[in-house]
């Protein structure tokens, strides 16, 4: 590794503009004649729209238009869709209800958009919105995923009787039943995975610009995948054909999944721009973000895990209800199915697994993938189970896990996935050592002297990342392929532009992708620019989520670099009158191996563009594109250990130590990877201790609609993390990368809850483990 | 936010006149509560009278054990005052635990008391310290001033100019912050003058800040954390919400009282 190449701790190129306030976000975009949209949203969780009276609003100052769902429908704008088909176990396709970008007949959650006001200023738009009177016929609402399946529950969509979207299964039910029936010990639990709000620092925004002369649309939007946005808006929502629609996702201030999806607002802003003849901008305020950004998690699971007399796992049976909210968001169906239940083997040999997942509608904000997406839910179930089983069996939780680890690879699980590489004991050992596991009893005794309760807990997670082979996801119902594209353009002066379909919204691609090029070609990082986020610049791409930008996005760059290098070698060989196979790339030059003959990279590039002296028949230029489709998922895994002290008088948990030992395969920039792990753990600790979306269960009002009531983790809620890396390179991509974006959020919640339940001696505790809940659980245990 | 007219007052008289002359005017001090409320369109004053530039409302004066704090003194100034800390560290510590640095450098004691948020920290101190709230027209004892959730004895257009109190021999404050907002989910301020003990509780009462007689009785007999142990806290009149049930708050009242006393020893 060089000072800038693969493996170097290079500080981030993009940080200068972010730290000095020079980032350019969607809300920073201003175009001549631009006006502002304000969305009128349903105050009711479930109601029929009887009528909308716009007359008073239309005569208010600054108002350009008030547009509603009937007009949107009349203009042929389509329904929002879910892009992954899931079939129920009876073979029937999932039952998707209609989601109108502006509701025209029925509203189904508090925040559902019904109309917009376009005005000269945001203030005038809001003033006029208050003068629009929407006449509602309020209907009964249902909030909980368990209640919504009960007979007599309010019905959300005619397409989905009993509010059931699908009833899906994976694995072998009879084999799992048999394994449990003959087990020497069965651990049984009911586990709730709490609903979360994603809270990116930048709220969502959209700017729609219609150019009448060209009949062309431009959309600036807060997206993790602008090309997918363009594809879906063209193919399904009938906004404009692809060649007439440019989507730009400029700097984006965090996504965590919530900015994968196409929401009503960008569609409506584009449509409204054509309708009104002016560019239309909308920026969410924080309340709108709480109300309308797709939520995460919200599972209720019943589960049984069987062991033989030697404490080897024999079988697992899972029954989950997943709350998808009022509408099916873009990838809502795959999150609780193929991104969740395929992970139930964890790091363990489990001969028989069966999981059943029912997805349901409720009068709540739509739920979709959120950092980890299904894998945190699976990990939480499995790792709470393993810890509980160890307590019930009276054995060390570490040794119970170790005994059941998968140790030979490739390993075919009973739930589709084939793990390609891993060394789970290496991470377990590293974590236990870093946490001084053996010294815990002494630390506990010391805490007890101070009247505090100390506990320790671990979690051994695995995730499937880098999603994934297109043919595989296609066979499982995906509407899109999950490859990535790249183009490497070597300019005539030797500087390099890399166009990528990955999108950076906090991941540091402008740094790590440049490191890859610097490493490969021996050129300075400063001579490399990463271009992304604009459908007019980058031809196509699938975007950033599922920890895929390294494993898939960078692999596409590697393929393009291979082609560039091959052509450059041909040119260099020709110019130096050497054999092509003797040319090597070294320190920014192309050298004839074993001689002192060499050409700097820029001279080869110049030769490619002057084209005065190229090998016979060669095209001028030095620019190559590639599409990369991986051969498998990647499987990051690791072990997290959390140690807590609980104040028994107040129930307040203090995390005294948090250790992460992760195997992400090869690492491009350890500093950025550690940052991803830190952020992920902070989010996981947030879920475990603080965060939770709450609705009033009778009215469906969102109770946690601001930071007064939704608790986000702050620096003083967190310890200084101890992070280490083990490495088994992924055999499934050329760089041996596994991905690190979600691990922290996946692995940490069970470690935290296992530690608290260990401290208080009561295993009956749900997330978030607030002081009140821990205090009550402690008292119940006394 | 609705449009509003901004006025910068330079004296108490001018501020009061501006408030009286303009129909739906409101004083703005730190703006940490009022501006947020206006942004949410929950308040729509026609005029804002800014008090932050009125010299008479600034400054902390400590004379022997008599303390006077101007209404427009920020939480950060209270927290940093060495003179105050010398006679009543508990109040300085309380101010240092409000919100975050931004809030502490803008929010003021006058604004906090006028607002009387049931989860605010200062009201408990005012009540336990037996403070006097000084306004442009009269003086009001703290026990008469706080009248329930977001309700005070202030009349239309009446302005707090300062608060005054005699520093007690012992005073302590312990706060259990709400995990989300970090306002007091329960905060207890204890103060002792000879045998007279006042214990005021914020963040917990269904009607806002209140004094707890049982705790006062127990502590006047024995100024020690353990003295709190035998007191029973009735949850009936305590708040119950998403974050804390009334039973849990009753527990916190006891634990925070104990810790407040311990902080004085
Ligand atoms: C993020 C955040 C966290 C916070 N955390 C805490 C916390 O932990 N504990 C806590 O106690 N508070 C907390 N606060 C509230 C903070 O202390 C506010 O500063 C305080 O409630 C109001 O003071 P202000 O000077 O900002 O008043 P303003 O917002 O300017 O005014 C509030 C009200 O008081 C009136 N008013 C202001 N000055 C006077 C006066 N001199 N005479 C008469 N009426 C007047 C105004 O008209 C208005 O109705 C927090 C606030 C924020 C934004």
């Amino acid at each position: 590794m060089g000072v800038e190449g693969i493996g170097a701790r290079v500080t981030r190129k993009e940080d200068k503009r972010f730290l000095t306030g020079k980032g350019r976000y969607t809300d920073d975009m201003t175009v001549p004649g631009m006006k502002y949209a304000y969305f009128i949203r349903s105050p009711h969780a479930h109601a029929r729209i009887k009528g909308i009276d716009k007359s008073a609003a239309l005569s208010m100052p600054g108002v350009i238009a008030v547009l509603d769902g009937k007009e949107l429908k009349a203009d042929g704008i389509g329904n929002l869709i879910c892009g992954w088909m899931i079939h129920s176990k009876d073979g029937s396709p999932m039952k998707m209800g209609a989601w109108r970008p502006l509701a025209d007949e029925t509203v189904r959650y508090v925040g559902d958009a019904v109309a917009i006001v376009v005005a000269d200023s945001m203030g005038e738009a809001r003033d006029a919105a208050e003068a629009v009177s929407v006449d509602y016929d309020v209907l009964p609402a249902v909030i909980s995923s368990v209640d919504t399946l009960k007979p007599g529950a309010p019905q959300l969509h005619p397409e989905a009787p009993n509010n059931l979207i699908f009833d899906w299964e994976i694995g072998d039910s009879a084999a799992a039943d048999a394994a449990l029936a003959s087990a020497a010990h069965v651990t049984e639990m009911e586990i709730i995975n709490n609903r979360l709000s994603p809270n990116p620092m930048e709220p969502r925004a959209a700017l729609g610009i219609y150019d009448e002369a060209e009949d062309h649309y431009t959309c600036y939007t807060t997206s993790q995948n602008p090309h997918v946005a363009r594809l879906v808006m063209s193919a399904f929502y009938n906004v404009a054909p692809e060649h007439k629609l440019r989507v730009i996702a400029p700097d984006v201030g965090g996504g965590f999944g919530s900015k994968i999806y196409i929401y009503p607002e960008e569609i409506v802003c584009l449509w409204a721009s054509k309708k009104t003849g002016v560019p239309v901008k909308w920026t969410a305020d924080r309340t709108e973000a709480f109300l309308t950004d797709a939520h995460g998690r919200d599972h209720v699971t019943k589960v049984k895990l069987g062991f033989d007399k030697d404490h080897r796992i024999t079988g697992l049976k899972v029954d989950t209800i997943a709350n998808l909210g009022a509408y099916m968001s873009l990838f809502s169906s795959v999150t609780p199915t193929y991104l969740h239940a395929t992970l139930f083997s964890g790091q363990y040999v489990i001969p028989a697994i069966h999981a059943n997942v029912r997805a349901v509608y409720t009068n709540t904000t739509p739920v979709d993938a959120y950092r980890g997406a299904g894998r945190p839910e699976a990990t939480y179930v499995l790792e709470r189970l393993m810890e509980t089983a160890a307590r019930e069996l009276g054995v060390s939780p570490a040794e119970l896990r170790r005994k059941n680890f998968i140790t030979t690879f490739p390993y075919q699980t009973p739930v589709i996935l084939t793990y390609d590489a891993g060394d789970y004991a290496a991470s377990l050992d590293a974590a236990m050592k870093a946490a001084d596991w053996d010294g815990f009893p002494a630390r506990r005794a010391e805490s007890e002297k101070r009247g505090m309760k100390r506990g320790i807990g671990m979690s051994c997670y695995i995730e499937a990342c880098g999603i994934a082979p297109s043919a595989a996801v296609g066979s499982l119902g995906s509407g899109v392929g999950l490859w990535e594209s790249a183009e490497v353009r070597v300019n005539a002066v030797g500087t390099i532009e890399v166009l990528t379909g990955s999108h950076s919204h906090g991941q540091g691609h402008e740094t790590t992708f440049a490191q890859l090029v610097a490493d490969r070609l021996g050129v300075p990082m400063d001579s490399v620019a990463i271009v992304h986020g604009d459908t007019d610049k980058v031809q196509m791409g699938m975007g950033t989520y599922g920890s895929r930008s390294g494993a898939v996005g960078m692999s596409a760059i590697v393929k393009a670099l291979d082609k560039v290098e091959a052509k450059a070698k041909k040119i260099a060989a020709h110019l130096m009158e050497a054999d092509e196979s003797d040319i090597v790339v070294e320190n920014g030059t192309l050298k004839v191996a074993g001689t002192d003959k060499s050409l700097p990279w820029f001279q080869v590039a110049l030769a490619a563009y002057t084209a005065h002296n190229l090998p016979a028949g060669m095209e001028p230029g030095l620019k190559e594109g590639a599409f990369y489709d991986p051969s498998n998922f990647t499987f990051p895994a690791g072990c997290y250990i959390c140690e807590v002290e609980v104040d028994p008088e107040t129930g307040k948990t203090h995390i005294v130590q948090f250790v992460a030992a992760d195997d992400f395969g090869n690492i491009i920039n350890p500093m950025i990877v550690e940052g991803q792990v830190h952020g992920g753990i902070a989010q996981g600790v947030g879920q475990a201790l603080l965060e939770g979306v709450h609705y009033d269960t009778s009215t469906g009002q969102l109770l946690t609609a601001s930071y007064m009531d939704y608790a986000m983790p702050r620096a003083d809620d967190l310890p200084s993390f101890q992070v280490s890396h083990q490495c088994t390179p992924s055999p499934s991509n050329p760089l041996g990368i596994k991905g690190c974006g979600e691990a922290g959020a996946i692995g940490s919640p069970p470690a935290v809850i296992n530690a608290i339940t260990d401290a208080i001696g009561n295993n009956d505790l749900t997330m978030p483990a607030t002081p009140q809940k821990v205090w009550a659980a402690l008292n119940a245990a006394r | 936010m609705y449009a509003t007219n901004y006025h910068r007052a330079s004296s108490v008289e001018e501020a009061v006149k501006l408030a009286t002359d303009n129909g739906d005017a409101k004083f703005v001090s730190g703006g940490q509560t009022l501006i947020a409320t206006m942004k949410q369109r929950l308040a729509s004053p026609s005029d804002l009278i800014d008090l932050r530039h009125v010299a008479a409302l600034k400054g902390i004066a400590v004379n022997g054990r008599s303390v006077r704090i101007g209404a427009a003194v920020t939480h950060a100034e209270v927290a940093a005052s060495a003179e105050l800390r010398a006679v009543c560290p508990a109040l300085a510590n309380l101010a240092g635990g409000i919100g975050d640095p931004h809030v502490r450098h803008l929010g003021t004691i006058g604004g906090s008391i006028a607002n009387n948020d049931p989860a605010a920290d200062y009201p408990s101190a005012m009540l336990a310290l037996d403070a006097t709230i000084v306004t442009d027209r009269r003086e009001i004892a703290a026990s008469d001033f706080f009248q329930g959730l977001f309700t005070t004895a202030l009349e239309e257009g009446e302005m707090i100019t300062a608060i005054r109190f005699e520093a007690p021999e012992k005073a302590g404050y312990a706060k259990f912050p709400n995990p989300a907002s970090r306002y007091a989910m329960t905060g207890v301020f204890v103060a002792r003058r000879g045998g007279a003990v006042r214990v005021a509780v914020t963040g917990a009462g269904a009607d806002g800040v209140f004094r707890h007689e049982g705790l006062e009785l127990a502590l006047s007999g024995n100024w020690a954390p353990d003295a709190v142990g035998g007191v029973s806290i009735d949850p009936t009149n305590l708040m119950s919400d998403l974050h804390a049930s009334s039973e849990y708050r009753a527990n916190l009242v006891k634990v925070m009282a104990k810790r407040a006393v311990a902080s004085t020893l």
Side-chain angles (χ1 to χ4, degrees):
Chain A
M1 116 185 139
V3 284
E4 296 186 331
I6 291 176
R9 292 178 172 270
V10 182
T11 52
R12 303 201 323 166
K13 286 175 82 170
E14 46 271 78
D15 279 348
K16 183 172 178 191
R17 75 172 186 278
F18 291 148
L19 296 176
T20 56
K22 300 281 163 50
R24 295 274 288 156
Y25 298 89
T26 297
D27 188 54
D28 294 322
M29 303 301 161
T30 302
V31 294
M34 188 178 83
K35 307 295 179 189
Y36 299 85
Y38 184 77
F39 277 76
I40 297 169
R41 299 183 183 281
S42 170
H44 306 294
H46 198 189
R48 226 160 253 297
I49 302 171
K50 291 202 287 188
I52 301 179
D53 183 356
K54 309 172 181 174
S55 49
L58 283 168
S59 61
M60 286 180 64
V63 173
I64 291 159
V66 180
L67 304 172
D68 66 28
K70 288 206 159 55
E71 293 165 277
L72 185 92
K73 196 178 231 170
D75 285 349
I77 302 294
N79 292 341
L80 281 88
I81 53 132
C82 174
W84 196 301
M85 173 52 72
I86 296 293
H87 286 89
S88 287
K89 53 193 176 196
D90 67 6
S92 63
M94 65 190 189
K95 309 213 164 36
M96 181 160 46
W99 183 3
R100 297 298 306 157
L102 293 174
D104 58 334
E105 285 175 5
T106 307
V107 287
R108 295 184 178 84
Y109 74 100
V110 174
D112 211 350
V114 294
I116 60 163
V117 177
V118 181
D120 288 340
S121 71
M122 196 59 187
E124 286 166 323
R126 282 191 78 162
D127 287 347
E130 285 172 6
V132 173
S133 125
V134 185
D135 191 9
Y136 291 104
D137 187 5
V138 179
L139 302 170
V142 60
I143 302 307
S144 124
S145 61
V146 175
D147 292 346
T148 201
L149 288 172
K150 288 181 181 157
Q155 298 293 298
L156 270 84
H157 293 277
E159 297 88 345
N162 305 318
N163 300 321
L164 183 65
I165 299 168
F166 56 75
D167 184 355
W168 172 91
E169 67 176 349
I170 190 171
D172 187 334
S173 184
D177 282 340
L180 290 169
S182 62
H185 178 86
V186 175
T187 294
E188 199 171 338
M189 294 178 84
E190 180 166 331
I191 292 176
I192 294 172
N193 206 289
N194 44 327
R195 180 186 276 242
L196 303 175
S197 171
N199 286 298
M201 209 184 286
E202 178 206 23
R204 288 191 298 115
L207 166 57
I209 306 166
Y210 177 67
D211 178 343
E212 199 191 347
E214 302 285 341
D215 188 28
H216 181 274
Y217 294 82
T218 303
C219 178
Y220 286 91
T221 181
T222 47
S223 175
Q224 300 177 213
N225 35 222
H227 291 87
V228 176
R230 183 175 72 157
L231 174 70
V232 172
M233 286 198 279
S234 307
F236 299 100
Y237 304 158
N238 203 23
V239 174
E242 274 185 292
H243 69 299
K244 295 278 185 192
L245 174 58
R246 175 182 184 186
V247 177
I248 305 169
D251 283 334
V252 173
F256 312 115
S258 72
K259 292 173 182 167
I260 298 172
Y261 326 117
I262 322 307
Y263 289 87
E265 290 85 1
E266 45 266 35
I267 305 167
V268 172
C269 283
L270 285 165
W271 167 72
S273 177
K274 179 169 186 182
K275 201 97 184 139
T276 58
V278 293
V280 175
K281 179 153 87 179
W282 164 81
T283 304
D285 62 25
R286 190 53 68 181
T287 309
E288 279 181 297
F290 274 111
L291 284 174
T292 67
D293 288 2
H295 290 168
R297 321 280 193 252
D298 203 342
H299 284 193
V300 176
T301 297
K302 288 191 173 132
V303 62
K304 289 181 192 171
L305 181 66
F307 293 86
D308 69 13
K309 60 179 187 348
D310 299 323
H311 302 163
R312 286 186 202 282
I313 303 171
T314 57
L316 172 69
K317 189 125 193 183
V318 186
D319 182 9
T320 292
I321 304 177
N323 191 343
L324 299 194
Y327 301 103
M328 290 188 79
S329 174
L330 195 62
F331 290 112
S332 58
S333 58
V334 67
T335 303
T337 51
Y338 292 111
L339 293 179
H340 171 235
T342 53
L343 271 303
F344 273 126
S345 198
Q347 300 187 353
Y348 313 112
V349 176
I350 307 183
I353 299 176
H354 179 259
N356 196 96
V357 178
R358 284 171 290 170
V360 300
Y361 280 124
T362 60
N363 294 108
T364 61
T365 301
V367 177
D368 207 324
Y370 167 68
R371 201 169 192 171
R375 291 152 292 169
E377 294 90 320
T379 302
Y380 189 67
V381 164
L382 209 51
E383 291 305 291
R384 287 286 291 128
L385 270 174
M386 288 303 278
E387 198 82 11
T388 303
R391 288 174 195 165
E392 289 173 357
L393 295 167
V395 299
S396 149
E399 293 322 305
L400 184 67
R401 286 176 168 92
R402 189 189 302 277
K403 174 175 266 173
N404 285 285
F405 277 160
I406 294 162
T407 52
T408 51
F409 298 89
Y411 178 81
Q412 174 63 54
T413 74
V415 276
I416 298 183
L417 300 176
T418 309
Y419 299 168
D420 49 10
D423 183 351
Y424 308 137
S427 293
L428 177 68
D429 289 339
M432 289 174 75
K433 188 154 178 282
D436 184 20
W437 181 271
D438 294 337
F440 175 74
R443 297 195 294 278
R444 171 176 267 178
E446 188 277 328
S447 294
E448 255 164 39
K449 275 195 210 133
R450 288 182 286 110
M452 302 300 263
K453 304 248 172 212
R454 203 175 186 105
I456 194 164
M458 65 165 55
S459 139
C460 293
Y461 76 90
I462 188 164
E463 48 170 336
C465 289
I467 51 176
S470 298
V473 297
S475 75
L476 301 177
S478 172
V480 292
L482 288 171
W483 40 264
E484 196 46 86
S485 83
E487 190 175 309
V488 174
R489 295 181 185 163
V490 183
N491 298 320
V493 291
T495 58
I496 295 166
E497 284 153 325
V498 177
L499 285 71
T500 168
S502 300
H503 185 277
S504 191
H505 38 277
Q507 294 84 354
H509 295 168
E510 289 168 41
T511 306
T512 50
F513 288 12
Q515 278 181 265
L516 166 64
V517 178
D519 192 90
R520 238 342 249 282
L521 304 182
V523 297
M525 257 179 77
D526 260 357
S527 65
V528 183
I530 306 299
V531 178
H532 71 94
D534 184 340
T535 59
D536 263 14
K537 292 183 181 165
V538 179
Q539 184 221 332
M540 191 52 181
M542 295 313 296
T544 291
Y545 40 82
S547 305
R548 69 193 302 276
S549 295
V552 190
M554 287 179 96
S555 296
I557 299 174
V558 168
K559 273 190 76 178
L561 284 169
D562 287 345
K563 296 185 193 174
V564 163
E565 191 180 311
K567 184 166 181 184
K569 279 182 173 171
K570 280 198 172 73
I571 298 171
H574 176 75
L575 293 175
M576 294 187 284
E577 293 171 346
D579 196 88
E580 193 188 322
S581 61
D582 287 337
I583 306 291
V584 290
V585 178
E586 237 178 67
N587 296 327
T589 64
L590 289 106
K591 262 185 80 171
V592 183
T595 72
D596 56 1
K597 280 208 270 186
S598 75
L599 277 176
W601 190 252
F602 80 85
Q603 274 187 14
V604 178
L606 192 63
Y609 285 95
T610 58
H612 295 160
N613 182 15
L614 289 178
M618 179 183 273
E619 286 177 14
L622 194 50
K623 176 193 103 161
E624 298 289 346
F627 284 71
Y628 174 76
D629 202 340
S631 58
N632 192 356
F633 294 84
T634 62
F635 299 95
C639 176
Y640 288 2
I641 295 177
C642 176
E643 195 165 321
V644 300
E645 213 169 53
V646 173
D647 178 345
E649 289 186 329
T650 62
K652 167 112 179 122
T653 298
H654 174 58
I655 298 181
V656 291
Q657 170 169 272
F658 199 104
V659 169
D662 297 289
D663 179 354
F664 297 136
N666 292 333
I667 285 173
I668 306 294
N669 183 329
M671 184 198 71
I672 286 181
V673 168
E674 283 160 17
Q676 289 287 319
V677 173
H678 289 187
I681 296 172
Q683 266 173 309
V685 168
Q687 166 161 35
L689 292 184
L690 297 154
E691 300 183 46
V693 169
H694 291 275
Y695 286 92
D696 181 309
T697 48
S698 57
T699 63
Q701 294 298 325
L702 181 62
L703 300 176
T704 47
S706 84
Y707 294 124
M708 289 297 281
D709 291 302
Y710 191 90
M712 291 288 284
R714 293 163 164 94
D716 66 355
D717 291 313
L718 303 164
S720 187
F721 309 119
Q722 295 182 59
V723 177
S724 73
H725 304 303
Q726 295 70 51
C727 180
T728 58
S730 167
S732 307
N733 60 64
L735 291 165
I737 291 178
K738 293 185 179 178
C740 66
E742 297 156 294
I746 291 170
S748 52
V752 176
I753 299 300
N754 287 340
I756 300 174
T757 52
D758 178 51
I760 64 177
N762 183 349
N763 203 34
D764 190 7
L765 185 68
T766 56
M767 297 191 292
T770 59
Q772 158 164 260
K773 277 198 216 161
V774 173
W775 176 78
L778 246 171
N779 288 336
R782 271 182 189 140
Chain B
M1 193 185 290
Y2 298 101
T4 187
N5 301 309
Y6 173 85
H7 309 268
R8 176 178 288 186
S10 49
S11 71
V12 171
E13 296 69 33
E14 189 195 353
V16 173
K17 185 170 179 332
L18 280 164
T20 332
D21 291 352
N22 293 290
D24 221 355
K26 258 190 176 304
F27 299 122
V28 63
S29 192
Q32 293 301 287
T33 297
L34 182 55
I35 302 292
T37 318
M38 289 171 67
K39 280 188 183 169
Q40 290 179 296
R41 299 191 155 218
L42 297 171
S44 51
S46 61
D47 296 75
L48 281 184
I49 324 291
D50 190 347
L51 304 182
R52 288 175 306 164
H53 305 274
V54 178
L57 302 180
K58 304 294 285 179
I60 300 173
V62 179
N63 206 332
R65 297 193 71 77
S66 301
V67 178
R68 179 194 178 278
I69 303 176
V73 173
T74 64
H75 309 331
E77 288 165 342
V78 172
S81 166
E83 289 156 294
L84 175 67
R85 207 165 268 283
V87 295
C88 190
L91 190 62
N93 290 339
L94 174 150
I98 294 176
D100 53 45
H102 302 76
V103 171
R104 291 197 288 276
H105 279 87
L106 283 166
T108 64
I109 189 167
S112 175
I113 289 168
N115 194 47
N116 193 19
D117 187 311
D121 295 291
Y122 271 130
S124 64
M126 296 300 104
L127 205 51
L129 292 169
D130 198 9
T132 301
I133 317 298
V134 185
T135 77
D136 63 301
R137 56 199 73 163
R138 58 183 170 145
E139 301 201 341
I140 311 168
S143 40
D144 298 326
F145 183 84
F146 299 107
Q147 301 190 341
L149 310 180
F150 299 101
T151 311
T152 67
L154 288 175
E155 291 162 0
E156 219 32 59
E158 184 172 8
M159 187 208 301
I160 301 174
T161 54
I163 66 99
R164 269 202 342 248
F165 64 92
E166 290 295 310
E169 290 147 34
K170 299 269 189 200
Y173 182 62
K175 164 184 184 174
F176 193 83
N178 177 305
S181 71
R182 301 245 173 137
Y183 276 70
M185 199 147 83
T186 292
V188 178
F189 202 103
V190 297
R192 190 184 80 170
R193 285 191 180 84
V197 169
R198 288 169 77 106
V199 176
V201 180
T202 190
D207 293 322
V209 64
F210 68 95
R211 284 172 64 187
H212 197 281
E213 277 175 36
L215 288 168
E216 291 183 353
L217 201 65
L219 287 168
S220 51
N222 176 17
W223 185 259
D226 287 349
V228 169
V231 181
S232 84
I233 313 287
D234 180 5
T236 319
N237 290 321
L238 299 186
M239 260 192 280
S240 205
D241 57 27
L242 190 62
H243 305 282
S245 66
S246 48
E247 288 76 19
Y248 179 56
R249 278 196 166 89
N251 170 66
L252 287 179
V253 169
K254 206 163 178 169
V255 176
M256 291 304 116
K258 188 169 118 178
R259 292 182 184 180
V261 174
S263 75
T264 71
L265 301 176

